[in-house]
Amino acid sequence: MAIVSPSADLAALLTFLIICLIHRCGAGGYDAEFYHPVILIPGFTCPNLEARLTDAYAPSLPRCGAFKGKGWFPLWKNTSDLVRQDYVPCFDEQMRLVYDPTLKDYRNLPGVETRVPDFGSAHGFTSKNDSSRTPTCLTRVREELELLGYRDGKTLFGAPYDPRHAPPLPGQPSKVYSDYFARVKDLVERASRKNQNRPVILVAHSFGGKVILGFVNRTPMPWRKKFIKHLVLVSPTPPEGFMGVLTNLASGPSFLVPSVPPLLLRPMWRTFASTLLSLPSPMAFGHRPIVITKHRNYSAYDYKDFLTTLGLNTQIVQRVLSMKLRIDPPMVPTTYLNGVGVKTPEQVVYRDGNFDVPPEKVYGDGDGTMNLFSVLAFVKELSRQQQVDIPFKFIEIANATHSDIVVQEHSLKKVMDVILEANR
Ligand SMILES: *[C@@H]1O[C@H](CO)[C@@H](O)[C@H](O)[C@H]1NC(C)=O
Ligand SMILES: *[C@@H]1O[C@H](CO)[C@@H](O)[C@H](O)[C@H]1NC(C)=O
Ligand SMILES: *[C@@H]1O[C@H](CO)[C@@H](O)[C@H](O)[C@H]1NC(C)=O
Ligand SMILES: *[C@@H]1O[C@H](CO)[C@@H](O)[C@H](O)[C@H]1NC(C)=O
């Protein structure tokens, strides 16, 4: 594993910028002969979802049936509208997934159809936090690429996914992900074809990193070699897990819909396949107690009891417990960037054993969300591809938080440097 200092490869960047100057990249002049196409895969809250309610839908509240029979409408796009229009309980119901033990797969509630709009476009996903002054969701990366001359649909693309579903482990069925992976494969091939058969650069943030690794690892090796120039993983969700997964399951997600109490979203949250991924694993967290209550402590070995105590469906608990952690390096040139030096929860205390109140937190190192030891364990696994001379590089960025890493100037610049370098 190579840990690179922040100012690495300045010379290469300068060379690129000089070439860029000649080709007038920044001035709207676009040189198709120069760039590798880029596909953006954003974080968890960024993809949008549309829904269509059919006759089979039985709303629990009359007003939740308002859109029945009226075609597609945005279900997960603008969270301030959700709150203003008093649609949160309906949102909670219509977003839910149901686990079908016969199919061993997840589906929507009867009568609810969903789709991810704008697949293919780098403008096809949006931040859900209107009060945030800084644009999240790879928006700044997109803007920087556009300044360089990248154009949506020509050299620049986006691959939003349905964040409720989980990229499946080998042998697990997922209808939604089979369809998604097929679309990503088409998109990669189309992007390459449009650009003189140049291989693509995949740029993913957070959960998008997990999704795209799931994709890459399912493609045949010759296909990867032919179509993927470089994989840029920015704070990808490590399969070794992070504490936030537990607190979101126990007490509801605090980051999902601004101004809505996490407890209101908890019933919905617990039905998502994706929220059971990346539980803190024994591999990274060992035997240390990570959830502390008055009568019982839980370590990463105690999920059967912990998830049952929370009231999760036993079939789902079985499914979670049967999942084997398996990490395959992508076997394509890869750069992994992550923040460090930000205080990150690594143990939570529910003093009275009441999961409805936010826990006290004990902090360690990380990017505010991802625990550093988990990130380093993931890095170690991915770097195994260096044994067969496939480049892998890990770049730590001091004080960069999980979401700000693709927003703040100093870390954004490093992400852009990596994309430019990958273009060489
Ligand atoms: C969401 O809706 C509010 C109010 O209608 C509007 O001010 C805001 O710009 C919208 N946000 C997005 C991302 O569309
Ligand atoms: C939304 O953005 C504001 C301002 O940056 C921030 O304080 C708040 O925590 C964000 N809310 C969520 C739910 O992420
Ligand atoms: C739980 O862990 C804490 C901190 O490690 C310890 O002080 C406490 O005695 C443990 N409680 C039980 C019930 O094992
Ligand atoms: C990171 O933050 C700490 C504490 O605020 C500060 O002492 C340190 O200089 C910062 N490091 C960098 C590289 O910005």
Side-chain angles (χ1 to χ4, degrees), residues 295-322:
H295 299 297
R296 168 88 203 258
N297 290 344
Y298 301 90
S299 77
Y301 286 92
D302 301 321
Y303 290 137
K304 187 165 187 293
D305 292 349
F306 182 68
L307 298 176
T308 309
T309 300
L310 292 184
L312 259 77
N313 167 330
T314 49
Q315 277 159 339
I316 290 180
V317 173
Q318 280 309 326
R319 183 181 157 107
V320 172
L321 295 176
S322 69

Side-chain angles (χ1 to χ4, degrees), residues 22-77:
I22 295 166
H23 289 261
R24 299 182 301 121
C25 313
Y30 148 71
D31 191 344
E33 295 202 76
F34 197 67
Y35 291 129
H36 285 268
V38 167
I39 301 179
L40 304 179
I41 307 97
F44 191 90
T45 59
C46 306
N48 299 323
L49 273 179
E50 291 180 343
R52 182 163 68 178
L53 306 175
T54 67
D55 284 343
Y57 175 55
S60 61
L61 296 167
R63 70 172 189 274
C64 295
F67 293 122
K68 217 163 137 168
K70 298 204 173 134
W72 293 102
F73 66 95
L75 175 63
W76 174 232
K77 180 166 190 186

Side-chain angles (χ1 to χ4, degrees), residues 289 292-297 347:
I292 294 185
T293 71
K294 194 159 56 183
H295 299 297
R296 168 88 203 258
N297 290 344
Q347 189 181 59

Side-chain angles (χ1 to χ4, degrees), residues 129 131-133 254-258:
N129 186 351
S131 56
S132 172
R133 292 165 305 277
S254 56
F255 67 94
L256 198 63
V257 186

Side-chain angles (χ1 to χ4, degrees), residues 65-263:
F67 293 122
K68 217 163 137 168
K70 298 204 173 134
W72 293 102
F73 66 95
L75 175 63
W76 174 232
K77 180 166 190 186
N78 187 326
T79 55
S80 45
D81 275 356
L82 273 184
V83 175
R84 223 187 37 244
Q85 292 168 6
D86 207 10
Y87 204 76
V88 173
C90 310
F91 167 77
D92 190 288
E93 178 167 290
Q94 289 159 17
M95 287 283 281
R96 274 180 207 211
L97 294 182
V98 181
Y99 180 64
D100 183 333
T102 318
L103 297 176
K104 297 190 162 61
D105 199 359
Y106 291 80
R107 52 176 173 75
N108 289 322
L109 285 191
V112 180
E113 295 171 7
T114 48
R115 67 178 184 194
V116 180
D118 305 316
F119 182 85
S121 169
H123 288 255
F125 41 85
T126 47
S127 162
K128 305 295 185 292
N129 186 351
D130 290 326
S131 56
S132 172
R133 292 165 305 277
T134 45
T136 52
C137 291
L138 293 178
T139 306
R140 290 288 297 114
V141 172
R142 189 187 73 211
E143 289 169 355
E144 291 295 317
L145 287 169
E146 287 175 343
L147 278 175
L148 285 170
Y150 271 94
R151 291 295 172 261
D152 195 31
K154 294 197 172 74
T155 38
L156 183 58
F157 306 85
Y161 48 88
D162 184 336
R164 301 172 302 162
H165 289 266
L169 295 168
Q172 264 181 356
S174 170
K175 170 84 175 67
V176 165
Y177 265 94
S178 305
D179 293 350
Y180 173 78
F181 287 163
R183 292 178 92 186
V184 177
K185 183 163 173 284
D186 280 352
L187 180 64
V188 168
E189 291 173 3
R190 180 155 56 89
S192 176
R193 232 179 6 251
K194 278 193 166 193
N195 290 275
Q196 292 80 44
N197 296 323
R198 259 188 222 101
V200 305
I201 299 171
L202 300 167
V203 180
H205 179 229
S206 191
F207 195 74
K210 189 170 189 69
V211 167
I212 210 62
L213 276 169
F215 166 74
V216 171
N217 282 331
R218 282 179 167 233
T219 58
M221 214 54 88
W223 188 93
R224 281 183 225 184
K225 277 215 174 89
K226 177 162 185 224
F227 287 106
I228 302 177
K229 168 82 170 141
H230 205 97
L231 181 58
V232 181
L233 301 170
V234 189
S235 322
T237 305
E240 288 87 349
F242 63 103
M243 274 309 288
V245 173
L246 283 185
T247 46
N248 290 336
L249 273 177
S251 312
S254 56
F255 67 94
L256 198 63
V257 186
S259 76
V260 170
L263 276 186

